């Protein structure tokens, strides 16, 4: 069984502006994930939720970014083999997550 890692990034942008900024930052975010060892990154929007899939060390990783009125909630589901990295993943998300909504 996998281990979920959840990080909340507060903002004061409103849902529409936050989603616009996340969308504008996707390419940069995917580069950052690639630098963290994730490959074959795919994503798709459903309403205000961005779902993504990636591979690391031959393992499938899934996650989502929920764009809400006053925050982003980022959740990554780590497979059992990678569960030991949960704290590092959470720290990286807390550090890099705000870049998704920074003004460009």
């Amino acid at each position: 069984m996998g281990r979920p890692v959840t990080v909340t990034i507060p903002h004061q942008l409103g849902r529409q502006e936050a989603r616009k900024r996340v969308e504008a930052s996707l390419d940069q975010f995917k580069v950052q994930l690639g630098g963290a060892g994730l490959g074959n990154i795919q994503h798709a929007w459903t309403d205000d939720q961005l779902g993504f899939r990636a591979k690391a060390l031959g393992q499938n990783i899934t996650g989502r970014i929920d764009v809400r009125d006053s925050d982003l909630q980022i959740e990554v589901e780590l497979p059992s083999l990678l569960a030991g990295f949960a704290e590092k993943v959470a720290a990286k998300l807390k550090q890099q997550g705000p870049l998704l909504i920074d003004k460009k």
Side-chain angles (χ1 to χ4, degrees):
M1 180 159 179
R3 178 169 178 192
V5 175
T6 304
V7 172
T8 301
I9 309 294
H11 65 77
Q12 296 178 344
L13 302 170
R15 185 183 308 244
Q16 186 176 16
E17 179 65 18
R19 179 184 164 139
K20 185 172 122 181
R21 290 187 186 190
V22 168
E23 190 136 3
S25 300
L26 277 178
D27 289 336
Q28 179 184 355
F29 187 64
K30 288 169 80 172
V31 167
Q32 291 169 352
L33 291 175
L38 296 176
N40 195 26
I41 303 165
Q42 302 172 359
H43 70 277
W45 283 100
T46 303
D47 297 320
D48 290 323
Q49 183 180 86
L50 176 68
F52 59 90
R53 292 186 310 224
K55 285 195 175 273
L57 300 174
Q59 300 293 303
N60 292 319
I61 296 171
T62 59
R64 69 177 193 261
I65 301 172
D66 291 311
V67 180
R68 303 188 299 199
D69 292 332
S70 60
D71 63 36
L72 300 179
Q73 183 171 321
I74 305 171
E75 183 172 307
V76 178
E77 183 73 32
L78 296 175
S80 298
L81 184 66
L82 301 176
F85 295 103
E87 296 300 320
K88 287 183 180 184
V89 170
K92 191 73 163 172
L93 288 173
K94 286 178 187 175
Q95 177 189 23
Q96 299 294 325
L99 297 176
L100 285 166
I101 53 175
D102 278 350
K103 184 113 175 125
K104 303 293 181 260

